[in-house]
Amino acid sequence: MSETQFTPRVFSGIQPSGGLHLGNYLGAIKRFVDMQDQGDFQTVYCMVDLHAITAKLLDPATLRHNTRELAAGFIAAGVNPEKSILINQSQVPEHAQLAWIFNCVARMGWMGRMTQWKDKAGKNAEAASLGLFAYPALMAADILIYHATHVPVGEDQKQHLELTRDIAAKFNHDYGVDFFPLTEPVIEGAATRVMSLRDGSKKMSKSDPSDASRINMTDDADTIAKKIRKAKTDPDALPSEVEGLKDRPEARNLVNIYAGLNEQTVAQVLADVGGQQFGTFKPALAELAVAKLAPISTRMSELMADQAEIDRTLAKGAQQAREITAPILKKTYEIVGMVS
Ligand code: AMP
Ligand code: TRP
């Protein structure tokens, strides 16, 4: 275990691969805002544009648009650039520089066991990019270049965070130092895994071909309400106890979403809505979702109207970030034996 006391610092990132959805909001962004406002941590939030080109190279104009739109999404949802450091990954070069060191610390076997690698590379791993394979080492560098102690993410990122701890531990062990913290994943709340509205066994995802499967952060009020009305459910009434959601993935998902949006536990929601039919519950959920999400979408469009302002915010964020990352990279190079 680490003896060093590290500054309580939060880091998290999202890929600007286009199409923020309710899963990103409840699983990640909303919790970024909560941790920012809690005041116990310094918070750093990032558009990971270097990660966004690992699966496939994107059209440059699209990548630029997506990065600015994600920045607008963060700010519209409550990430405050006066309170948090908001950055675009490629503008803080120490991320990629530390990632190289970690490419030499991490083992091929560790990377090959990552389920995201296996899912994304599919059967044709020979054709996948080297960047996709090395993705988790860059992610570890994103976190550890800040000596971040806590990382809020959705459930699907758990394995990558375990790998981040393994990389930190191996670096510390191999060089006989206590330099990198063993970061804590923060996977909490009712909605760490929001499921598709069309299939309760599949994660809500931007890559699902069915637009009805997800609520996009840019959907307007009517679209949000329509998607919730059409969401797949079962014929039974809602239970009053959490155990009653067992084996009812679609019902559980809608209740989790309600709880996440309304900042309640699932048990609290069920105490109120137990016994209701979906014909009653769905309109209430739609109303709640519209009340919480429509203002974010409106604010996002307003922010996107002034892209120069977004760029200024990111430039300022990069400057603040480098005050933290430059000394940590310098010290890492010293430990490794790079002549400076
Ligand atoms: P991605 O869009 O894959 O870059 O994910 C960005 C963040 O959103 C990560 O913290 C993910 O864990 C989280 N996330 C993505 N999809 C979901 C989902 N369906 N439910 C909860 N969290 C999610
Ligand atoms: N891999 C994360 C995802 O797909 C994105 C990410 C990159 C990230 N670097 C990070 C998340 C560092 C948390 C911390 O969602």
Side-chain angles (χ1 to χ4, degrees):
M1 246 359 256
S2 176
E3 301 288 313
T4 310
Q5 283 296 317
F6 292 95
T7 309
R9 189 177 284 147
V10 165
F11 180 93
S12 196
I14 297 188
Q15 299 187 57
S17 37
L20 272 184
H21 55 75
L22 183 64
N24 300 134
Y25 176 65
L26 291 177
I29 303 180
K30 185 170 185 307
R31 297 171 45 246
F32 299 175
V33 176
D34 293 342
M35 292 187 94
Q36 163 194 277
D37 292 342
Q38 215 175 307
D40 299 336
F41 301 96
Q42 182 176 36
T43 44
V44 185
Y45 298 124
C46 184
M47 275 64 73
V48 289
D49 59 348
L50 298 171
H51 279 113
I53 59 168
T54 53
K56 65 172 192 304
L57 299 175
L58 299 175
D59 165 58
T62 306
L63 179 57
R64 274 190 287 272
H65 171 85
N66 290 348
T67 302
R68 292 180 177 126
E69 188 179 72
L70 179 55
F74 274 129
I75 298 169
V79 172
N80 179 347
E82 302 297 324
K83 291 192 193 167
S84 293
I85 300 178
L86 182 63
I87 53 161
N88 183 33
Q89 188 185 31
S90 61
Q91 282 176 274
V92 183
E94 289 79 11
H95 289 233
Q97 288 175 291
L98 183 62
W100 182 260
I101 305 286
F102 287 171
N103 283 344
C104 303
V105 172
R107 307 288 92 187
M108 298 279 283
W110 300 1
M111 309 306 250
R113 282 192 285 278
M114 294 294 112
T115 52
Q116 185 172 302
W117 156 253
K118 290 191 244 178
D119 290 348
K120 287 199 179 169
K123 291 198 182 65
N124 197 2
E126 291 283 310
S129 77
L130 189 52
L132 187 66
F133 193 65
Y135 180 115
L138 176 58
M139 178 163 164
D142 294 337
I143 296 165
L144 294 173
I145 197 65
Y146 295 90
H147 280 182
T149 53
H150 294 79
V151 181
V153 280
E155 176 71 39
D156 59 353
Q157 294 302 312
K158 196 165 177 222
Q159 197 188 25
H160 283 157
L161 291 180
E162 281 159 9
L163 185 89
T164 300
R165 291 166 67 97
D166 290 343
I167 290 178
K170 181 164 162 59
F171 182 98
N172 288 346
H173 173 266
D174 288 358
Y175 288 106
V177 291
D178 187 15
F179 185 60
F180 287 116
L182 299 184
T183 303
E184 294 293 335
V186 186
I187 304 173
E188 283 169 6
T192 54
R193 193 169 167 81
V194 177
M195 308 309 279
S196 156
L197 298 179
R198 307 299 308 161
D199 177 350
S201 69
K202 280 203 325 213
K203 201 178 68 161
M204 183 177 287
S205 152
K206 64 189 140 211
S207 56
D208 193 314
S210 160
D211 191 60
S213 71
R214 67 185 155 260
I215 293 175
N216 303 302
M217 294 303 290
T218 46
D219 284 345
D220 60 22
D222 283 351
T223 312
I224 296 173
K226 189 152 63 178
K227 286 179 177 173
I228 291 178
R229 257 199 326 274
K230 289 195 168 164
K232 188 174 167 204
T233 44
D234 57 42
D236 298 337
L238 282 161
S240 308
E241 310 278 332
V242 179
E243 299 78 62
L245 291 173
K246 201 168 161 276
D247 303 323
R248 296 181 66 188
E250 282 86 14
R252 188 174 57 218
N253 189 37
L254 294 186
V255 174
N256 285 352
I257 292 173
Y258 192 101
L261 285 171
N262 216 25
E263 304 188 348
Q264 287 179 295
T265 63
V266 170
Q268 283 166 341
V269 175
L270 291 178
D272 292 340
V273 305
Q276 279 182 14
Q277 296 292 337
F278 283 102
T280 311
F281 180 68
K282 276 180 167 180
L285 176 60
E287 196 181 318
L288 174 66
V290 168
K292 299 282 179 178
L293 302 177
I296 300 178
S297 141
T298 308
R299 184 79 190 114
M300 257 173 99
S301 325
E302 288 165 7
L303 290 164
M304 281 301 275
D306 188 356
Q307 302 203 349
E309 175 60 21
I310 294 180
D311 291 359
R312 277 193 295 277
T313 302
L314 295 182
K316 190 185 104 197
Q319 219 173 14
Q320 293 170 323
R322 296 194 73 186
E323 285 172 23
I324 304 173
T325 59
I328 292 179
L329 184 74
K330 185 168 186 292
K331 183 75 188 154
T332 308
Y333 276 3
E334 267 169 41
I335 292 171
V336 173
M338 307 291 177
V339 175
S340 61

